[in-house]
Amino acid sequence: MQHREELHELLPCAGLTVVEDMRPGSLFPPEAGWRIARGIAAPDGAVREALDAAWWRRLADADGEFLVAVLGHRIGGNDSWWTRVRYAGGGVPGLTGDPGFVALSLDGQVLLAEVPGSDGPRVTALDRLPERLEEAAEAAGRETEVERAEVWAAVPGRPAWPLHWAEGIGSNPAAPDELLIRLLDVETGFLHGCDRPAVLDAAVAHPDPRVRSGPADTFRPKLTSDQWVRLVRAEPSPSRRVLWAEHACAWGVELPGDLYDDLLAGPSRAQAAELPGLPAHHLPSLAADADPRVRATACARWEDLAAPLRARLLADTDDTVRTAALLAHHTGVPMPREVFAALPAPRRALEQCRLSPELEMELVRDGDAEVRRALAANPRLSAHSVAVLAEDPYDDIRSAVALRPDLDEEQRAEVRYDFDPTSMSRTLPWVEGLHGDADAMRRLAVSSHPLIRRSVARARHLPPDVVERLARDEDRTVRLFLAESCDDAPAEMLLEVWRWWDGSFTHPDRPRSHPNFPLTGLLRYADDPGERMRRLALDDPESTPADVARLARDPEAEVRRRAAEDTRLSPADAVRLLNDPAAHVRGAAMRNLRLPARVLAGLLHDRDTACAAVTNPAIPVPVLHRILAAAAAAVAARR
C-alpha cells in the first residue's frame, strides 16, 4: 500500500502537476472507471490500443487539466478518489505500464485507462462516455432467460476474489440454511446479523469454540433461551461458561437449576455465585464457603439469608466479607456514626445505607461536596435531608436530587436542576420499573423533568391519553423515544419524526419500520422539496415502476439509493446506478435482484465489488454453492 506522498511523487515523474485531491462528490467514480477498464459492464466502442497523444489532448481541458487515479494508491489521492492534475507536455504522460491508471476528462466525456491483465496490459479509450454508458445499460437490460442461464452455468469460472466471497455470501438473503451451515467452517462474520434458527442451532453445537461464541458475542443476540442454555453447557472453559451464563441472564434467560449446580461446582465458583438468578437454596453453602469472595457475594442476597447466616457473616474473620455484611445489614438498620467511621471506604454506605438521623444530618451539611454528591442518590435518605440537598449550591447535586423517585412532581418542579437537552439520555431504571403501571405513567408523563418524560416514552405500551400527550411534547427527544420504543405511537407523529430522524444504532429502522408508520398517501411526497420525504414515496402501495425510474434519477443520493433498493427497478436502471457517484447507491444497485446476470457475474470477479455482489439474491442457489466451494478452497489454502 502506497502513501499519499509517494503518489504525489509518482505523478510529477509522469509529467503531471498535482492540482488537488478530489473527494467523492458528484463525479463519475473511479470505482466505475476501474470496472469498465477491466471490461465489466463496459460500453461498446472502446479503443483497445496504445493511447496516443491525440487521446490525451481530447482528455485534457484548455488548461491541460484532467482527473486521474493510480492503481494501489489508497491513501490521500487514492484509486477510489480522483486526483486533479495538469499536463503541460505535448506528448503522452508517463503513466503507462505498472501499476495502472484510469483518467477522466473534467466534463466526464472521455475515459482513458490502462490496467494489468493476465495477457498483458488492457487499454481502454472511450469518448462520449455518458452516452455510451446509457447505451450499454439499455443493452444489458435486454438480457434473455437463455443468456442468463448461460452466464450462471459458467460461474464461478476462475475465481478472482474468493476471499471476498467468503466475507459476503453469508449476507445473501437467498442463501439456504444448508449453505450457511456449511459456511460456518469457512467464515463466521455473518453470524452477527443471523436470525435463522437452524443456522444458530448449528453454530452453538459447532466443535470450534470461536464459531459457538459468534451468535452470542454480538450487540443484539438472536439466540433463544434454549440455544443460550446449550451454548453454556457446550463451553469447555469454566470461566467462559460463566461468562456466557452472565450474558444469557442479561438477556432475560432463566437458566435451569442443574446448570447453576454445574457452574457452582466448577473452578469459577466465585464468578458463578454472582449470577443474578441464582436459586436461594444455594445461599447457605455460599455464606459458609471457604473462599471469602464467595461469602462476600452472598451478602448481596441479604434479605434471602436466614438470621443465623447473617450473624455469621457480620462476625466473619475476613475484612471484605465483614464490610459487605455491614453494608447489607445497614440497608435496613440505621448505621451509627462509629460504624460509619470505621469503614475503610465509606462511599458505598453514603450511596446505599440507611444512616442514623444524627449521622445523616451531619453528612448532608458536610463541607465536602463529594459526600453530598454520593448522598444525593441514596434511596434511603430521609425527606428532610432530601429537601436540604435540593437547595445545595452545586448544580449537579441538585440535578441528582431532581431525579429521585421519592419526590412528587410538585416537589420536583421546585428543584433548580441543570439539564442539557442535547446530552445522551438513558432510561431511568425506576421509571422503567413502572412501565406497566398506567397511573404512574400518567403522573410521570406530565413531569417537569424531560429525562423522566423521555423515560416514560420508552415504554412498549402506554395508555392512549399518555401517548397523545407525549406525541405533542415540546422536547423532540421525547417524541423520538416514543417513535422508537412505543408500539402505540401515532402515525402523524411518526411522520413528523421521520422529517428529521432516520434511525439510531439501537433502533436502526425506526420510525420508518414502526407498525403504525403511514404508507398510504406517501406518493404525494414524490416532488417534495425535502429529500427525506421523497424517499418515502416508493413505500406507497400506489407507486409504480415509473415512479421508481423517476426517483432513480433524483439529484439526492439517498433518494436514488431508495430507488436502487426497489425490486421494481428496471435492469437498465440497475446498471446505470452502478456508475452513481455515491458508493452506497452503487452498493444498493449491486444487491438489486433485477441486475442483469452478465453484469452481476462480472461484479463477482472485481476487487471493489465482489463482496457486495455475492450478496445479490438473484444468484441461483446452485451457483451460490459453487461460489462457496471456491471460497472454502481459498480460505483453506491460506490456513
Side-chain angles (χ1 to χ4, degrees), residues 384-394 397-399 401-402 407 411 414-417:
H384 178 73
S385 294
V386 170
V388 172
L389 292 177
E391 297 179 355
D392 196 276
Y394 283 85
I397 294 175
R398 297 195 310 275
S399 297
V401 171
L407 295 185
Q411 293 170 320
E414 293 177 356
V415 181
R416 293 181 298 109
Y417 61 83

Side-chain angles (χ1 to χ4, degrees), residues 219-232:
F219 178 66
R220 286 187 179 274
K222 307 294 195 304
L223 295 175
T224 64
S225 293
D226 178 65
Q227 288 167 338
W228 272 112
V229 171
R230 284 192 283 129
L231 175 67
V232 175

Side-chain angles (χ1 to χ4, degrees), residues 460-480:
R460 178 79 179 273
H461 291 289
L462 287 167
D465 55 317
V466 175
V467 171
E468 182 182 0
R469 184 177 191 91
L470 295 180
R472 294 181 284 104
D473 198 284
E474 62 183 10
D475 178 14
R476 78 174 193 169
T477 303
V478 170
R479 306 195 301 275
L480 169 61

